[in-house]
Every structure is written in C-alpha cells, then in structure tokens.
Amino acid sequence: MEMAGTELRLGLPGTEPSSSTSTSKISNKRSSSHMNNNDEPPPKAQVIGWPPVRSYRKNILEASYVKVSMDGAAYLRKIDLNIYKSYPQLLKALENMFKCSIETEGYNGCNYVPTYEDKDGDWMLAGDVPWDMFINSCKRLRIMKGSEAKGLASL
C-alpha cells in the first residue's frame, strides 16, 4: 500500500523531494543548495518607512479635531475643523449635528451661540476673529445658550 499523497515531508508545497533529502530525517540546518557560494545572505526587500504609516493615519496628522459640546446635550462630538472653509459652513454642520438653530449675529434673544476656547484658555465667540486664526487657536467648541453668552459678546 503506497501513501505518497498523505506522506509528511519538509519543503514547499508542490515541490518534489530531492533524492538527497530523506523524509525521516529532520534537520534545522540549511542545505548547501540554499546558500550562495560566497556565504552572503539572500537580498531582502527594502523596507521603507518603519513602522508603516497608513494613509488614514497620515490624514489624521493633518486633521484638526476639536470636541464640540452643546448646553443641554448629554453627549459630545468631535469634528475636524480643516474640512470647513468658513464660519457659515461650520455652523451649518453644527446645526445639522445637534438639530438646533445657531446664530452668530444678534445674540440677544437667540437660542444658541457658538463659542470656543482658544489656546490661552479664554472663551470667545466664534466669528470674532478671522477664520484662519480661529482654526489655529481653537481647542474646543461649545454651543451655549444665548442668555449665557451675553458676557462674551462685544456689543
């Protein structure tokens, strides 16, 4: 009875065992046919950028994520300020996110106003500084009730 199909042997799948190797002998050493004549190790593939940085991680490095809270909401959100090009775009996204009306002018009588904490720890009204300066200095956003934001307004 021949069991060539179920025989255990060392080697790559699909290769035939050579006559010099025996399936009953197990050796941890490389045979001389696997070594180069000048005892140099085989060339390895060049590794570029270790550890590898995936594209989504590269994008995160370029992102400017800030936390957004809203008075009365039980949850926080995080947004990337770099995907918006102006205050109106940001406010529209925040209105859609929190399902509310946010005003930037005429703070008296409106429900909610956008405020932010700058790098110095001061709370300011969003829209009081140019957009580029806002993007670079904003640490977090808070959508406040209009009645609480009166102290921040420069009216």
Side-chain angles (χ1 to χ4, degrees):
M1 193 186 272
E2 189 173 318
M3 298 195 308
T6 60
E7 180 179 300
L8 295 176
R9 61 183 171 86
L10 295 176
L12 296 173
T15 59
E16 293 297 322
S18 64
S19 60
S20 64
T21 25
S22 169
T23 56
S24 60
K25 260 192 204 177
I26 297 176
S27 173
N28 288 332
K29 296 182 180 179
R30 291 184 186 168
S31 66
S32 62
S33 64
H34 293 297
M35 298 296 288
N36 292 341
N37 291 341
N38 54 6
D39 291 333
E40 290 182 17
K44 294 182 180 179
Q46 184 178 4
V47 178
I48 300 173
W50 187 257
V53 178
R54 295 192 173 134
S55 62
Y56 73 92
R57 287 191 179 167
K58 288 180 186 175
N59 292 337
I60 287 175
L61 296 175
E62 297 169 7
S64 178
Y65 285 100
V66 295
K67 289 182 182 178
V68 181
S69 64
M70 179 175 174
D71 289 356
Y75 52 89
L76 297 174
R77 297 284 179 101
K78 249 186 184 178
I79 60 170
D80 179 10
L81 292 177
N82 287 333
I83 65 173
Y84 305 105
K85 303 297 178 208
S86 65
Y87 284 112
Q89 282 185 352
L90 173 64
L91 295 179
K92 184 71 172 167
L94 292 174
E95 286 176 345
N96 291 335
M97 188 181 298
F98 289 102
K99 308 293 186 228
C100 69
S101 175
I102 301 172
E103 298 292 327
T104 57
E105 295 183 20
Y107 294 106
N108 295 332
C110 67
N111 290 337
Y112 294 100
V113 294
T115 61
Y116 72 98
E117 183 182 11
D118 66 6
K119 289 183 179 181
D120 297 329
D122 298 326
W123 283 95
M124 315 255 306
L125 290 173
D128 282 353
V129 296
W131 178 252
D132 291 335
M133 186 182 290
F134 169 75
I135 294 258
N136 292 326
S137 65
C138 181
K139 283 184 7 185
R140 60 182 166 161
L141 283 165
R142 178 180 172 199
I143 303 170
M144 299 176 77
K145 292 181 181 177
S147 59
E148 294 180 21
K150 285 183 184 178
L152 297 176
S154 55
L155 299 176

PDB file of all heavy atoms in Angstrom, residues 73-103:
ATOM      1  N   ALA A  73     -27.184  69.055  25.919  1.00  0.00           N
ATOM      2  CA  ALA A  73     -26.974  67.770  25.235  1.00  0.00           C
ATOM      3  C   ALA A  73     -26.151  66.858  26.138  1.00  0.00           C
ATOM      4  O   ALA A  73     -25.212  67.304  26.790  1.00  0.00           O
ATOM      5  CB  ALA A  73     -26.260  67.967  23.904  1.00  0.00           C
ATOM      6  N   ALA A  74     -26.504  65.596  26.149  1.00  0.00           N
ATOM      7  CA  ALA A  74     -25.833  64.644  27.032  1.00  0.00           C
ATOM      8  C   ALA A  74     -24.597  64.008  26.389  1.00  0.00           C
ATOM      9  O   ALA A  74     -23.997  63.119  26.970  1.00  0.00           O
ATOM     10  CB  ALA A  74     -26.817  63.551  27.441  1.00  0.00           C
ATOM     11  N   TYR A  75     -24.226  64.436  25.212  1.00  0.00           N
ATOM     12  CA  TYR A  75     -23.104  63.808  24.520  1.00  0.00           C
ATOM     13  C   TYR A  75     -22.217  64.868  23.876  1.00  0.00           C
ATOM     14  O   TYR A  75     -22.635  65.997  23.634  1.00  0.00           O
ATOM     15  CB  TYR A  75     -23.604  62.835  23.448  1.00  0.00           C
ATOM     16  CG  TYR A  75     -24.605  63.459  22.498  1.00  0.00           C
ATOM     17  CD1 TYR A  75     -24.186  64.100  21.349  1.00  0.00           C
ATOM     18  CD2 TYR A  75     -25.963  63.403  22.763  1.00  0.00           C
ATOM     19  CE1 TYR A  75     -25.085  64.691  20.485  1.00  0.00           C
ATOM     20  CE2 TYR A  75     -26.878  63.982  21.907  1.00  0.00           C
ATOM     21  CZ  TYR A  75     -26.435  64.626  20.764  1.00  0.00           C
ATOM     22  OH  TYR A  75     -27.331  65.201  19.918  1.00  0.00           O
ATOM     23  N   LEU A  76     -20.975  64.491  23.631  1.00  0.00           N
ATOM     24  CA  LEU A  76     -20.007  65.334  22.939  1.00  0.00           C
ATOM     25  C   LEU A  76     -19.787  64.783  21.540  1.00  0.00           C
ATOM     26  O   LEU A  76     -19.990  63.601  21.292  1.00  0.00           O
ATOM     27  CB  LEU A  76     -18.673  65.350  23.681  1.00  0.00           C
ATOM     28  CG  LEU A  76     -18.646  65.923  25.082  1.00  0.00           C
ATOM     29  CD1 LEU A  76     -17.273  65.713  25.697  1.00  0.00           C
ATOM     30  CD2 LEU A  76     -18.988  67.394  25.066  1.00  0.00           C
ATOM     31  N   ARG A  77     -19.335  65.622  20.663  1.00  0.00           N
ATOM     32  CA  ARG A  77     -18.943  65.203  19.321  1.00  0.00           C
ATOM     33  C   ARG A  77     -17.535  65.698  19.060  1.00  0.00           C
ATOM     34  O   ARG A  77     -17.041  66.583  19.753  1.00  0.00           O
ATOM     35  CB  ARG A  77     -19.883  65.811  18.260  1.00  0.00           C
ATOM     36  CG  ARG A  77     -21.319  65.378  18.365  1.00  0.00           C
ATOM     37  CD  ARG A  77     -21.456  63.964  17.829  1.00  0.00           C
ATOM     38  NE  ARG A  77     -22.811  63.492  17.916  1.00  0.00           N
ATOM     39  CZ  ARG A  77     -23.655  63.448  16.891  1.00  0.00           C
ATOM     40  NH1 ARG A  77     -23.285  63.866  15.710  1.00  0.00           N
ATOM     41  NH2 ARG A  77     -24.864  62.965  17.050  1.00  0.00           N
ATOM     42  N   LYS A  78     -16.913  65.135  18.045  1.00  0.00           N
ATOM     43  CA  LYS A  78     -15.607  65.595  17.593  1.00  0.00           C
ATOM     44  C   LYS A  78     -15.722  65.923  16.116  1.00  0.00           C
ATOM     45  O   LYS A  78     -16.298  65.147  15.353  1.00  0.00           O
ATOM     46  CB  LYS A  78     -14.557  64.501  17.784  1.00  0.00           C
ATOM     47  CG  LYS A  78     -13.559  64.804  18.829  1.00  0.00           C
ATOM     48  CD  LYS A  78     -12.478  63.754  18.872  1.00  0.00           C
ATOM     49  CE  LYS A  78     -11.568  64.071  20.024  1.00  0.00           C
ATOM     50  NZ  LYS A  78     -10.522  63.105  20.175  1.00  0.00           N
ATOM     51  N   ILE A  79     -15.178  67.066  15.726  1.00  0.00           N
ATOM     52  CA  ILE A  79     -15.198  67.434  14.318  1.00  0.00           C
ATOM     53  C   ILE A  79     -13.802  67.868  13.890  1.00  0.00           C
ATOM     54  O   ILE A  79     -12.987  68.282  14.711  1.00  0.00           O
ATOM     55  CB  ILE A  79     -16.210  68.562  14.025  1.00  0.00           C
ATOM     56  CG1 ILE A  79     -15.864  69.826  14.815  1.00  0.00           C
ATOM     57  CG2 ILE A  79     -17.629  68.116  14.310  1.00  0.00           C
ATOM     58  CD1 ILE A  79     -16.663  71.031  14.384  1.00  0.00           C
ATOM     59  N   ASP A  80     -13.552  67.770  12.596  1.00  0.00           N
ATOM     60  CA  ASP A  80     -12.293  68.211  12.010  1.00  0.00           C
ATOM     61  C   ASP A  80     -12.521  69.598  11.419  1.00  0.00           C
ATOM     62  O   ASP A  80     -13.272  69.755  10.460  1.00  0.00           O
ATOM     63  CB  ASP A  80     -11.843  67.227  10.934  1.00  0.00           C
ATOM     64  CG  ASP A  80     -10.554  67.637  10.257  1.00  0.00           C
ATOM     65  OD1 ASP A  80      -9.892  68.590  10.736  1.00  0.00           O
ATOM     66  OD2 ASP A  80     -10.211  67.015   9.239  1.00  0.00           O
ATOM     67  N   LEU A  81     -11.896  70.601  11.985  1.00  0.00           N
ATOM     68  CA  LEU A  81     -12.083  71.972  11.513  1.00  0.00           C
ATOM     69  C   LEU A  81     -11.521  72.193  10.113  1.00  0.00           C
ATOM     70  O   LEU A  81     -11.965  73.087   9.403  1.00  0.00           O
ATOM     71  CB  LEU A  81     -11.438  72.960  12.486  1.00  0.00           C
ATOM     72  CG  LEU A  81     -12.094  73.089  13.858  1.00  0.00           C
ATOM     73  CD1 LEU A  81     -11.296  74.044  14.734  1.00  0.00           C
ATOM     74  CD2 LEU A  81     -13.532  73.552  13.731  1.00  0.00           C
ATOM     75  N   ASN A  82     -10.554  71.387   9.709  1.00  0.00           N
ATOM     76  CA  ASN A  82      -9.920  71.596   8.405  1.00  0.00           C
ATOM     77  C   ASN A  82     -10.821  71.259   7.224  1.00  0.00           C
ATOM     78  O   ASN A  82     -10.502  71.626   6.099  1.00  0.00           O
ATOM     79  CB  ASN A  82      -8.620  70.792   8.306  1.00  0.00           C
ATOM     80  CG  ASN A  82      -7.526  71.412   9.145  1.00  0.00           C
ATOM     81  OD1 ASN A  82      -7.519  72.611   9.392  1.00  0.00           O
ATOM     82  ND2 ASN A  82      -6.599  70.598   9.600  1.00  0.00           N
ATOM     83  N   ILE A  83     -11.911  70.557   7.448  1.00  0.00           N
ATOM     84  CA  ILE A  83     -12.776  70.242   6.309  1.00  0.00           C
ATOM     85  C   ILE A  83     -13.744  71.382   5.999  1.00  0.00           C
ATOM     86  O   ILE A  83     -14.407  71.362   4.977  1.00  0.00           O
ATOM     87  CB  ILE A  83     -13.554  68.923   6.503  1.00  0.00           C
ATOM     88  CG1 ILE A  83     -14.528  69.023   7.665  1.00  0.00           C
ATOM     89  CG2 ILE A  83     -12.613  67.760   6.681  1.00  0.00           C
ATOM     90  CD1 ILE A  83     -15.433  67.810   7.783  1.00  0.00           C
ATOM     91  N   TYR A  84     -13.799  72.373   6.873  1.00  0.00           N
ATOM     92  CA  TYR A  84     -14.660  73.535   6.644  1.00  0.00           C
ATOM     93  C   TYR A  84     -13.810  74.708   6.180  1.00  0.00           C
ATOM     94  O   TYR A  84     -12.666  74.873   6.599  1.00  0.00           O
ATOM     95  CB  TYR A  84     -15.425  73.898   7.920  1.00  0.00           C
ATOM     96  CG  TYR A  84     -16.214  72.727   8.460  1.00  0.00           C
ATOM     97  CD1 TYR A  84     -15.785  72.025   9.580  1.00  0.00           C
ATOM     98  CD2 TYR A  84     -17.363  72.291   7.816  1.00  0.00           C
ATOM     99  CE1 TYR A  84     -16.486  70.942  10.055  1.00  0.00           C
ATOM    100  CE2 TYR A  84     -18.069  71.193   8.284  1.00  0.00           C
ATOM    101  CZ  TYR A  84     -17.635  70.533   9.401  1.00  0.00           C
ATOM    102  OH  TYR A  84     -18.320  69.448   9.850  1.00  0.00           O
ATOM    103  N   LYS A  85     -14.382  75.537   5.330  1.00  0.00           N
ATOM    104  CA  LYS A  85     -13.636  76.663   4.754  1.00  0.00           C
ATOM    105  C   LYS A  85     -14.074  78.008   5.315  1.00  0.00           C
ATOM    106  O   LYS A  85     -13.451  79.023   5.035  1.00  0.00           O
ATOM    107  CB  LYS A  85     -13.794  76.675   3.229  1.00  0.00           C
ATOM    108  CG  LYS A  85     -13.350  75.388   2.564  1.00  0.00           C
ATOM    109  CD  LYS A  85     -11.888  75.144   2.762  1.00  0.00           C
ATOM    110  CE  LYS A  85     -11.472  73.835   2.123  1.00  0.00           C
ATOM    111  NZ  LYS A  85     -10.343  73.231   2.760  1.00  0.00           N
ATOM    112  N   SER A  86     -15.164  78.023   6.100  1.00  0.00           N
ATOM    113  CA  SER A  86     -15.662  79.296   6.626  1.00  0.00           C
ATOM    114  C   SER A  86     -16.588  79.034   7.811  1.00  0.00           C
ATOM    115  O   SER A  86     -17.016  77.905   8.046  1.00  0.00           O
ATOM    116  CB  SER A  86     -16.413  80.058   5.538  1.00  0.00           C
ATOM    117  OG  SER A  86     -17.570  79.331   5.158  1.00  0.00           O
ATOM    118  N   TYR A  87     -16.916  80.120   8.523  1.00  0.00           N
ATOM    119  CA  TYR A  87     -17.850  80.012   9.638  1.00  0.00           C
ATOM    120  C   TYR A  87     -19.224  79.511   9.199  1.00  0.00           C
ATOM    121  O   TYR A  87     -19.791  78.643   9.862  1.00  0.00           O
ATOM    122  CB  TYR A  87     -17.995  81.357  10.352  1.00  0.00           C
ATOM    123  CG  TYR A  87     -16.821  81.706  11.235  1.00  0.00           C
ATOM    124  CD1 TYR A  87     -15.978  82.764  10.911  1.00  0.00           C
ATOM    125  CD2 TYR A  87     -16.562  81.012  12.412  1.00  0.00           C
ATOM    126  CE1 TYR A  87     -14.906  83.102  11.717  1.00  0.00           C
ATOM    127  CE2 TYR A  87     -15.499  81.343  13.224  1.00  0.00           C
ATOM    128  CZ  TYR A  87     -14.671  82.390  12.874  1.00  0.00           C
ATOM    129  OH  TYR A  87     -13.622  82.709  13.680  1.00  0.00           O
ATOM    130  N   PRO A  88     -19.808  80.034   8.110  1.00  0.00           N
ATOM    131  CA  PRO A  88     -21.132  79.539   7.709  1.00  0.00           C
ATOM    132  C   PRO A  88     -21.171  78.030   7.458  1.00  0.00           C
ATOM    133  O   PRO A  88     -22.136  77.361   7.833  1.00  0.00           O
ATOM    134  CB  PRO A  88     -21.446  80.328   6.436  1.00  0.00           C
ATOM    135  CG  PRO A  88     -20.666  81.591   6.572  1.00  0.00           C
ATOM    136  CD  PRO A  88     -19.412  81.197   7.285  1.00  0.00           C
ATOM    137  N   GLN A  89     -20.126  77.476   6.848  1.00  0.00           N
ATOM    138  CA  GLN A  89     -20.070  76.017   6.624  1.00  0.00           C
ATOM    139  C   GLN A  89     -20.030  75.269   7.957  1.00  0.00           C
ATOM    140  O   GLN A  89     -20.727  74.270   8.141  1.00  0.00           O
ATOM    141  CB  GLN A  89     -18.840  75.640   5.800  1.00  0.00           C
ATOM    142  CG  GLN A  89     -18.959  75.890   4.339  1.00  0.00           C
ATOM    143  CD  GLN A  89     -17.721  75.375   3.605  1.00  0.00           C
ATOM    144  OE1 GLN A  89     -16.728  74.962   4.215  1.00  0.00           O
ATOM    145  NE2 GLN A  89     -17.787  75.392   2.286  1.00  0.00           N
ATOM    146  N   LEU A  90     -19.225  75.740   8.885  1.00  0.00           N
ATOM    147  CA  LEU A  90     -19.110  75.098  10.197  1.00  0.00           C
ATOM    148  C   LEU A  90     -20.439  75.165  10.936  1.00  0.00           C
ATOM    149  O   LEU A  90     -20.905  74.164  11.496  1.00  0.00           O
ATOM    150  CB  LEU A  90     -18.008  75.766  11.016  1.00  0.00           C
ATOM    151  CG  LEU A  90     -17.885  75.312  12.471  1.00  0.00           C
ATOM    152  CD1 LEU A  90     -17.501  73.843  12.553  1.00  0.00           C
ATOM    153  CD2 LEU A  90     -16.867  76.169  13.212  1.00  0.00           C
ATOM    154  N   LEU A  91     -21.071  76.330  10.935  1.00  0.00           N
ATOM    155  CA  LEU A  91     -22.332  76.488  11.667  1.00  0.00           C
ATOM    156  C   LEU A  91     -23.440  75.631  11.067  1.00  0.00           C
ATOM    157  O   LEU A  91     -24.250  75.057  11.800  1.00  0.00           O
ATOM    158  CB  LEU A  91     -22.736  77.958  11.698  1.00  0.00           C
ATOM    159  CG  LEU A  91     -21.781  78.858  12.484  1.00  0.00           C
ATOM    160  CD1 LEU A  91     -22.250  80.300  12.431  1.00  0.00           C
ATOM    161  CD2 LEU A  91     -21.635  78.397  13.911  1.00  0.00           C
ATOM    162  N   LYS A  92     -23.479  75.516   9.764  1.00  0.00           N
ATOM    163  CA  LYS A  92     -24.480  74.661   9.112  1.00  0.00           C
ATOM    164  C   LYS A  92     -24.285  73.202   9.547  1.00  0.00           C
ATOM    165  O   LYS A  92     -25.240  72.492   9.859  1.00  0.00           O
ATOM    166  CB  LYS A  92     -24.367  74.801   7.590  1.00  0.00           C
ATOM    167  CG  LYS A  92     -25.394  74.049   6.826  1.00  0.00           C
ATOM    168  CD  LYS A  92     -26.731  74.714   6.991  1.00  0.00           C
ATOM    169  CE  LYS A  92     -27.732  74.061   6.065  1.00  0.00           C
ATOM    170  NZ  LYS A  92     -29.095  74.441   6.391  1.00  0.00           N
ATOM    171  N   ALA A  93     -23.037  72.762   9.603  1.00  0.00           N
ATOM    172  CA  ALA A  93     -22.743  71.385  10.034  1.00  0.00           C
ATOM    173  C   ALA A  93     -23.147  71.179  11.497  1.00  0.00           C
ATOM    174  O   ALA A  93     -23.702  70.133  11.849  1.00  0.00           O
ATOM    175  CB  ALA A  93     -21.263  71.078   9.843  1.00  0.00           C
ATOM    176  N   LEU A  94     -22.875  72.162  12.349  1.00  0.00           N
ATOM    177  CA  LEU A  94     -23.243  72.050  13.765  1.00  0.00           C
ATOM    178  C   LEU A  94     -24.765  72.045  13.947  1.00  0.00           C
ATOM    179  O   LEU A  94     -25.288  71.302  14.778  1.00  0.00           O
ATOM    180  CB  LEU A  94     -22.620  73.187  14.568  1.00  0.00           C
ATOM    181  CG  LEU A  94     -21.094  73.162  14.707  1.00  0.00           C
ATOM    182  CD1 LEU A  94     -20.595  74.424  15.392  1.00  0.00           C
ATOM    183  CD2 LEU A  94     -20.630  71.923  15.443  1.00  0.00           C
ATOM    184  N   GLU A  95     -25.461  72.855  13.153  1.00  0.00           N
ATOM    185  CA  GLU A  95     -26.932  72.855  13.221  1.00  0.00           C
ATOM    186  C   GLU A  95     -27.494  71.496  12.832  1.00  0.00           C
ATOM    187  O   GLU A  95     -28.412  70.984  13.464  1.00  0.00           O
ATOM    188  CB  GLU A  95     -27.504  73.942  12.307  1.00  0.00           C
ATOM    189  CG  GLU A  95     -27.336  75.342  12.847  1.00  0.00           C
ATOM    190  CD  GLU A  95     -27.827  76.416  11.890  1.00  0.00           C
ATOM    191  OE1 GLU A  95     -28.042  76.133  10.678  1.00  0.00           O
ATOM    192  OE2 GLU A  95     -28.005  77.559  12.350  1.00  0.00           O
ATOM    193  N   ASN A  96     -26.933  70.895  11.795  1.00  0.00           N
ATOM    194  CA  ASN A  96     -27.377  69.557  11.374  1.00  0.00           C
ATOM    195  C   ASN A  96     -27.021  68.493  12.407  1.00  0.00           C
ATOM    196  O   ASN A  96     -27.774  67.555  12.632  1.00  0.00           O
ATOM    197  CB  ASN A  96     -26.786  69.188  10.022  1.00  0.00           C
ATOM    198  CG  ASN A  96     -27.349  70.023   8.895  1.00  0.00           C
ATOM    199  OD1 ASN A  96     -28.458  70.549   8.980  1.00  0.00           O
ATOM    200  ND2 ASN A  96     -26.576  70.177   7.828  1.00  0.00           N
ATOM    201  N   MET A  97     -25.882  68.648  13.029  1.00  0.00           N
ATOM    202  CA  MET A  97     -25.403  67.673  14.007  1.00  0.00           C
ATOM    203  C   MET A  97     -26.268  67.683  15.269  1.00  0.00           C
ATOM    204  O   MET A  97     -26.616  66.634  15.806  1.00  0.00           O
ATOM    205  CB  MET A  97     -23.947  67.988  14.358  1.00  0.00           C
ATOM    206  CG  MET A  97     -23.249  66.973  15.197  1.00  0.00           C
ATOM    207  SD  MET A  97     -21.544  67.471  15.565  1.00  0.00           S
ATOM    208  CE  MET A  97     -20.814  67.536  13.946  1.00  0.00           C
ATOM    209  N   PHE A  98     -26.581  68.873  15.751  1.00  0.00           N
ATOM    210  CA  PHE A  98     -27.303  68.993  17.019  1.00  0.00           C
ATOM    211  C   PHE A  98     -28.785  69.320  16.840  1.00  0.00           C
ATOM    212  O   PHE A  98     -29.505  69.466  17.822  1.00  0.00           O
ATOM    213  CB  PHE A  98     -26.648  70.050  17.908  1.00  0.00           C
ATOM    214  CG  PHE A  98     -25.313  69.618  18.456  1.00  0.00           C
ATOM    215  CD1 PHE A  98     -24.140  70.079  17.901  1.00  0.00           C
ATOM    216  CD2 PHE A  98     -25.238  68.731  19.515  1.00  0.00           C
ATOM    217  CE1 PHE A  98     -22.908  69.683  18.404  1.00  0.00           C
ATOM    218  CE2 PHE A  98     -24.018  68.330  20.022  1.00  0.00           C
ATOM    219  CZ  PHE A  98     -22.852  68.807  19.463  1.00  0.00           C
ATOM    220  N   LYS A  99     -29.238  69.461  15.598  1.00  0.00           N
ATOM    221  CA  LYS A  99     -30.656  69.737  15.308  1.00  0.00           C
ATOM    222  C   LYS A  99     -31.156  70.970  16.051  1.00  0.00           C
ATOM    223  O   LYS A  99     -32.123  70.922  16.803  1.00  0.00           O
ATOM    224  CB  LYS A  99     -31.544  68.528  15.652  1.00  0.00           C
ATOM    225  CG  LYS A  99     -31.090  67.223  15.040  1.00  0.00           C
ATOM    226  CD  LYS A  99     -31.242  67.248  13.544  1.00  0.00           C
ATOM    227  CE  LYS A  99     -30.932  65.890  12.965  1.00  0.00           C
ATOM    228  NZ  LYS A  99     -30.043  65.916  11.864  1.00  0.00           N
ATOM    229  N   CYS A 100     -30.451  72.087  15.861  1.00  0.00           N
ATOM    230  CA  CYS A 100     -30.833  73.331  16.519  1.00  0.00           C
ATOM    231  C   CYS A 100     -30.502  74.503  15.608  1.00  0.00           C
ATOM    232  O   CYS A 100     -29.861  74.340  14.578  1.00  0.00           O
ATOM    233  CB  CYS A 100     -30.112  73.481  17.853  1.00  0.00           C
ATOM    234  SG  CYS A 100     -28.346  73.752  17.670  1.00  0.00           S
ATOM    235  N   SER A 101     -30.916  75.689  16.009  1.00  0.00           N
ATOM    236  CA  SER A 101     -30.624  76.914  15.273  1.00  0.00           C
ATOM    237  C   SER A 101     -29.523  77.666  16.009  1.00  0.00           C
ATOM    238  O   SER A 101     -29.647  77.959  17.192  1.00  0.00           O
ATOM    239  CB  SER A 101     -31.888  77.771  15.175  1.00  0.00           C
ATOM    240  OG  SER A 101     -31.578  78.992  14.563  1.00  0.00           O
ATOM    241  N   ILE A 102     -28.436  77.961  15.294  1.00  0.00           N
ATOM    242  CA  ILE A 102     -27.293  78.647  15.889  1.00  0.00           C
ATOM    243  C   ILE A 102     -27.136  79.986  15.183  1.00  0.00           C
ATOM    244  O   ILE A 102     -27.119  80.054  13.959  1.00  0.00           O
ATOM    245  CB  ILE A 102     -25.999  77.812  15.739  1.00  0.00           C
ATOM    246  CG1 ILE A 102     -26.167  76.448  16.404  1.00  0.00           C
ATOM    247  CG2 ILE A 102     -24.822  78.551  16.333  1.00  0.00           C
ATOM    248  CD1 ILE A 102     -25.022  75.495  16.153  1.00  0.00           C
ATOM    249  N   GLU A 103     -26.999  81.048  15.960  1.00  0.00           N
ATOM    250  CA  GLU A 103     -26.858  82.400  15.413  1.00  0.00           C
ATOM    251  C   GLU A 103     -25.475  82.940  15.724  1.00  0.00           C
ATOM    252  O   GLU A 103     -24.914  82.664  16.778  1.00  0.00           O
ATOM    253  CB  GLU A 103     -27.911  83.329  16.019  1.00  0.00           C
ATOM    254  CG  GLU A 103     -29.332  82.911  15.709  1.00  0.00           C
ATOM    255  CD  GLU A 103     -29.681  83.061  14.248  1.00  0.00           C
ATOM    256  OE1 GLU A 103     -29.165  83.984  13.598  1.00  0.00           O
ATOM    257  OE2 GLU A 103     -30.473  82.243  13.760  1.00  0.00           O
TER     258      GLU A 103
END
